Amino acid sequence: MVKRSLQGSVSGIQEAKKAFAHKGWTQDNLAFEVNLKTRQPIWRFFTGRPVERHIFIEICLVLSLNWREIADNPPEELSESKELGAELLDIDALVQQVRSQRFEKIEDQCGTLQLLDIGRPVKIDDIYIDVNILEEIASLQWLEFADLQNFTSREFDRFGLGEVSQIQIAGISAVETYSKLRVLGKPGAGKTTFLQHLAIQCNRGRFAANRVAIFITLRDFADESKEAGEFHLLNYICKEFLTSGISDASVVETLLLEGRVLLLLDGLDEVLDQESKAVVNEIRRLSEKYQKNMFVVTCRTAAKASSLRRFTDVEIAPFTSEQIVAFAHKWFTKLTKTNVHQRLEQAVEFIEKLDLPENLQFRRLVVNPLFLHLVCWVFDQQNKFPIQKAAFYKQCLDLLLIKWDETKAIERDEVYQGFLLPQKLKLLSQIASATFEQGNYFFEQRIVEQYIGDYIRDLPNASTEAEELQLDSEGVLKAIELQHGLLAERVRGIFSFSYLTFQEYLTARQIVANHNLQALEQPLERLVSHITEPRWREIFLLTVAMLRSADFLVQLMKQEVDALVAEDPYLQKFLTWASQKSLVAPPQPAAIRAFYLALARTPHLTQPFTLACILDQGIFLDAALDKLVMECTIDCKSNFGNALVCDDALSNALTIVQDAGLHQALQQLKDQLPDPKQSKERFQTWWQISYPAWMEQLEATIAKHRNIQHDWHFSPQQQQVLQQYYYANQLLIDCLNSNCQLTDVVRQEIEASLFLPIKELSQREWQGL
């Protein structure tokens, strides 16, 4: 029978009193270090009375004493083993025995995951992807705000992916390198899954094979400790061992003393403020008393202020492209219910479509394993990426703002002063729209706190005291960062939205909310003023999809597009020519106008030629003739063989020309070409003397018979305006083709008037079209 209490021998008590006197403590000090509520057990210890075994051992450890030498008649099973011989063999045998007894416990505790929207547990081996670690915490670095102000959206994404001056290492390598490690990460980054993976690998002897894995959820430890009235991590571990049939507390003590434990402590941020100090103190005490063991603690990045002395902080890196591919392959092959071949095809299709430009916003999100899982799940349900992007982003925000903590049964301190979900969304939308309007992806802490303060000031019963309002603003910002991960401290004192997609969605949400409230600031009019700015593209697409009726917005966009070229007579002449050319193919006049504008503005483009292939034969001929001009505009002085290209191009054009006059003129031009078989000198003489006039005649012939003009001369400013005009029209077309609420009358009106000059637009308006 194992003794439940220990008492000191006469000589042992004398040694303990000397060590106690050397510390210079009172009995109250010693009780605090041992985490006792009263000093009565300390008094009993020094008077030779029986004390609970774990308290006796703890007192000796704090006093730097070997408890075996202090105890009177220590139990046999805690002394040197007589059966196994050498101490090394004893501890190795004990490790194997304990691992054997706890094997099923660890497999059950850490071997499965419960993924959102998946109704069954998922084996961790089926879905886990090795994570990478950033040894340099970005939010602890110093950078000037000016260094981040000019970031483009692409550079913002790179910054979010940890690709700016941050070196990544494998997660397991970090655990092997640092015996005391705190792993930070945003919500959904995979911190808990990483710890579970470590526990499983250790349990199976594939990592830290000479240690025993112990996985503790710190929230559970805090809750039970609060109920019991004492915080004692060693006792909690001993109780946890009881579930594996190990009732002897000395086993845990021996393993810890010999440095044979891999202690995995999950979710430091999930402990309520009132218990966090006690929990941190327990981790500190245990890690300092048993320094030879390996300790890994996880915590959300924003909670890093809770200091763990002598622990090294690292951060889980966002998924790389390779990790995204590996995760998607595992997800579709293990979690879907189709046959193996279909699963592989679906995984490949997912990766291919994810890389398409129209899915950039999803690509930004899936660097987070949580969002990657959600996107995979939606793709599996619909066999495509969500058409209703705004609804999907809303689902992601609901998850971060409320459901993520609910699914993990996490209770947090109320910092929001009772904010409901709509209030949180309203606050975040105001911050997003204000910063995006100013062109800021990054903003200083004081600025975002001012936005929060302005919002709080308008709440009922809000404090008017400046200092109290500032403290409230700081608390709300910290809560948003810690609880939701939506705002992140990128470097010291500089914040951004953790994902640009959310800043864009929330900005669009604010525009729609102000429009619905009929705000005086005329939000839709302000939006269309950005129609030529590519960074606003997603805002337009989200806004038009979120409006109850998009008629007014698309009409405003059309007016803004037409105004870009309205005051330039030469550009109006250009549009008039394109409109006349479009009359040859009335079924798709707007597409024809776009084709000819592109052809004349930037001749010989592959894209207009491809577009022509889906239109009528006349448009195809014009594209072919334009290609003919390109191929005949060559330099044959140095390469005699290139003359054949021009001859072949004319031959190909003649095969599709049906107009007799044009066919005869092109044949005459072909007959004028010199015979490539003649001497090189005679050929080059013809090219130098006759080619310029021949080329001019070719262009004149095409212009005469097909009215294709290659002599438009735009100034640099006009070229820029045309580029903006083209971009804005394309954005308008994308909005029309999106899943928005638009009446047929407005849709038809805009589609019919795309790329028309002002004169024809006025005529249509006068005619009531």
Side-chain angles (χ1 to χ4, degrees), residues 139-201:
S139 57
L140 298 180
Q141 301 175 36
W142 288 101
L143 278 180
E144 294 295 330
F145 181 59
D147 296 333
L148 302 175
Q149 275 184 303
N150 297 322
F151 268 38
T152 65
S153 61
R154 182 176 297 275
E155 289 168 330
F156 178 92
D157 288 336
R158 286 178 56 244
F159 194 87
L161 290 171
E163 295 175 1
V164 178
S165 69
Q166 293 166 290
I167 299 174
Q168 301 184 12
I169 64 172
I172 283 187
S173 297
V175 179
E176 292 173 334
T177 303
Y178 306 105
S179 61
K180 296 181 181 180
L181 192 70
R182 181 164 60 166
V183 179
L184 306 175
K186 298 182 180 66
K191 301 180 294 296
T192 298
T193 309
F194 176 53
L195 280 202
Q196 289 181 228
H197 174 70
L198 291 176
I200 291 295
Q201 294 302 102

Side-chain angles (χ1 to χ4, degrees), residues 22 34 87 119 213 218 225 263 314 501 526 529 595 637 764:
H22 181 73
V34 181
E87 181 179 353
L218 289 174
S225 298
L263 186 56
V314 297
T501 296
R526 290 181 60 185
S529 68
F595 165 70
K637 296 177 183 178
R764 290 180 60 84

Side-chain angles (χ1 to χ4, degrees), residues 199-482:
I200 291 295
Q201 294 302 102
C202 177
N203 201 41
R204 298 173 183 174
R206 299 171 185 171
F207 172 72
N210 63 339
R211 298 177 187 269
V212 172
I214 302 175
F215 185 97
I216 300 294
T217 301
L218 289 174
R219 180 182 69 254
D220 293 341
F221 165 62
D223 291 344
E224 290 192 25
S225 298
K226 181 180 179 181
E227 185 176 341
E230 68 168 0
F231 286 80
H232 203 290
L233 187 54
L234 182 58
N235 282 357
Y236 185 83
I237 294 172
C238 291
K239 291 178 182 177
E240 201 270 341
F241 267 48
L242 285 173
T243 61
S244 302
I246 303 174
S247 59
D248 188 355
S250 64
V251 170
V252 177
E253 176 71 17
T254 302
L255 292 171
L256 287 168
L257 284 171
E258 298 296 337
R260 294 304 187 93
V261 170
L262 170 62
L263 186 56
L264 305 167
L265 304 169
D266 185 45
L268 182 58
D269 62 283
E270 298 173 7
V271 178
L272 292 174
D273 281 348
Q274 54 265 36
E275 284 98 42
S276 62
K277 183 177 180 180
V279 171
V280 168
N281 284 338
E282 273 302 289
I283 296 172
R284 177 183 60 81
R285 287 193 183 101
L286 205 66
S287 64
E288 290 181 357
K289 291 172 185 175
Y290 306 103
Q291 297 184 22
K292 294 188 291 184
N293 299 279
M294 299 173 70
F295 299 84
V296 186
V297 182
T298 63
C299 184
R300 288 189 180 179
T301 305
K304 57 185 178 296
S306 301
S307 176
L308 276 177
R309 193 167 60 193
R310 297 188 179 92
F311 274 70
T312 298
D313 281 351
V314 297
E315 186 172 9
I316 290 185
F319 268 2
T320 63
S321 297
E322 293 77 12
Q323 288 170 315
I324 292 170
V325 170
F327 182 95
H329 185 271
K330 280 193 168 187
W331 198 100
F332 285 103
T333 55
K334 297 294 185 180
L335 301 187
T336 54
K337 298 180 180 179
T338 56
N339 61 55
V340 175
H341 181 68
Q342 289 175 319
R343 294 174 185 177
L344 291 173
E345 286 185 341
Q346 197 173 18
V348 171
E349 184 182 7
F350 174 85
I351 295 301
E352 289 177 348
K353 290 186 176 180
L354 182 63
D355 287 335
L356 295 176
E358 59 264 30
N359 292 322
L360 173 62
Q361 280 65 37
F362 296 116
R363 177 65 181 83
R364 288 170 172 169
L365 287 177
V366 297
V367 298
N368 180 296
L370 172 62
F371 296 138
L372 178 53
H373 159 65
L374 282 180
V375 174
C376 287
W377 185 82
V378 173
F379 190 90
D380 179 52
Q381 298 294 309
Q382 304 178 2
N383 203 32
K384 59 185 177 182
F385 285 94
I387 296 176
Q388 292 278 7
K389 290 184 179 180
F392 179 76
Y393 301 154
K394 175 65 164 56
Q395 180 184 358
C396 291
L397 286 174
D398 289 351
L399 176 63
L400 287 180
L401 291 172
I402 291 181
K403 294 179 183 176
W404 186 235
D405 278 359
E406 285 183 351
T407 58
K408 301 179 72 175
I410 300 173
E411 178 186 358
R412 296 193 183 275
D413 299 288
E414 186 53 59
V415 184
Y416 277 109
Q417 305 176 20
F419 282 12
L420 300 175
L421 177 61
Q423 293 172 306
K424 295 176 182 179
L425 286 170
K426 183 178 180 180
L427 170 59
L428 288 166
S429 297
Q430 290 182 4
I431 297 172
S433 62
T435 52
F436 196 90
E437 179 79 31
Q438 296 168 7
N440 293 332
Y441 298 131
F442 301 92
F443 29 87
E444 295 176 271
Q445 181 173 342
R446 63 179 181 83
I447 298 297
V448 71
E449 287 175 355
Q450 287 174 10
Y451 291 135
I452 295 172
D454 292 341
Y455 181 83
I456 295 175
R457 188 181 290 110
D458 293 335
L459 295 176
N461 303 320
S463 173
T464 57
E465 293 291 333
E467 185 173 350
E468 185 174 346
L469 191 62
Q470 174 63 28
L471 291 174
D472 288 344
S473 301
E474 292 174 2
V476 169
L477 174 58
K478 186 55 63 178
I480 294 173
E481 185 187 13
L482 172 62

Side-chain angles (χ1 to χ4, degrees), residues 394-608:
K394 175 65 164 56
Q395 180 184 358
C396 291
L397 286 174
D398 289 351
L399 176 63
L400 287 180
L401 291 172
I402 291 181
K403 294 179 183 176
W404 186 235
D405 278 359
E406 285 183 351
T407 58
K408 301 179 72 175
I410 300 173
E411 178 186 358
R412 296 193 183 275
D413 299 288
E414 186 53 59
V415 184
Y416 277 109
Q417 305 176 20
F419 282 12
L420 300 175
L421 177 61
Q423 293 172 306
K424 295 176 182 179
L425 286 170
K426 183 178 180 180
L427 170 59
L428 288 166
S429 297
Q430 290 182 4
I431 297 172
S433 62
T435 52
F436 196 90
E437 179 79 31
Q438 296 168 7
N440 293 332
Y441 298 131
F442 301 92
F443 29 87
E444 295 176 271
Q445 181 173 342
R446 63 179 181 83
I447 298 297
V448 71
E449 287 175 355
Q450 287 174 10
Y451 291 135
I452 295 172
D454 292 341
Y455 181 83
I456 295 175
R457 188 181 290 110
D458 293 335
L459 295 176
N461 303 320
S463 173
T464 57
E465 293 291 333
E467 185 173 350
E468 185 174 346
L469 191 62
Q470 174 63 28
L471 291 174
D472 288 344
S473 301
E474 292 174 2
V476 169
L477 174 58
K478 186 55 63 178
I480 294 173
E481 185 187 13
L482 172 62
Q483 297 181 24
H484 316 316
L486 281 170
L487 292 175
E489 189 175 15
R490 296 295 188 169
V491 296
R492 287 185 184 270
I494 299 176
F495 282 74
S496 78
F497 279 86
S498 52
Y499 303 94
L500 181 56
T501 296
F502 290 147
Q503 188 180 14
E504 292 170 337
Y505 165 77
L506 290 165
T507 298
R509 185 184 183 278
Q510 180 72 3
I511 292 171
V512 173
N514 287 339
H515 172 69
N516 292 338
L517 293 172
Q518 298 181 337
L520 296 177
E521 61 180 6
Q522 297 179 316
L524 297 186
E525 286 83 349
R526 290 181 60 185
L527 174 61
V528 297
S529 68
H530 300 288
I531 198 168
T532 61
E533 301 175 41
R535 77 182 192 90
W536 283 83
R537 169 181 166 79
E538 194 63 21
I539 307 296
F540 278 94
L541 293 172
L542 288 169
T543 302
V544 78
M546 294 165 68
L547 287 167
R548 287 193 289 266
S549 171
D551 286 0
F552 182 53
L553 176 55
V554 295
Q555 288 172 327
L556 284 176
M557 292 174 67
K558 183 64 170 65
Q559 294 171 14
E560 190 75 14
V561 169
D562 293 332
L564 292 171
V565 294
E567 303 301 324
D568 191 313
Y570 191 67
L571 294 182
Q572 286 297 307
K573 180 181 177 182
F574 178 47
L575 294 178
T576 300
W577 167 78
S579 178
Q580 293 171 351
K581 288 294 296 180
S582 71
L583 297 179
V584 301
Q588 302 181 62
I592 303 303
R593 290 193 290 271
F595 165 70
Y596 281 112
L597 289 178
L599 193 65
R601 184 174 63 88
T602 309
H604 325 312
L605 284 179
T606 301
Q607 184 175 0

Side-chain angles (χ1 to χ4, degrees), residues 575-641:
L575 294 178
T576 300
W577 167 78
S579 178
Q580 293 171 351
K581 288 294 296 180
S582 71
L583 297 179
V584 301
Q588 302 181 62
I592 303 303
R593 290 193 290 271
F595 165 70
Y596 281 112
L597 289 178
L599 193 65
R601 184 174 63 88
T602 309
H604 325 312
L605 284 179
T606 301
Q607 184 175 0
F609 184 79
T610 304
L611 174 63
C613 295
I614 65 173
L615 304 174
D616 76 344
Q617 186 175 0
I619 306 303
F620 181 82
L621 174 59
D622 284 349
L625 291 174
D626 181 73
K627 188 171 185 286
L628 167 64
V629 173
M630 176 191 69
E631 292 180 342
C632 289
T633 309
I634 56 177
D635 181 7
C636 293
K637 296 177 183 178
S638 58
N639 189 344
F640 184 78

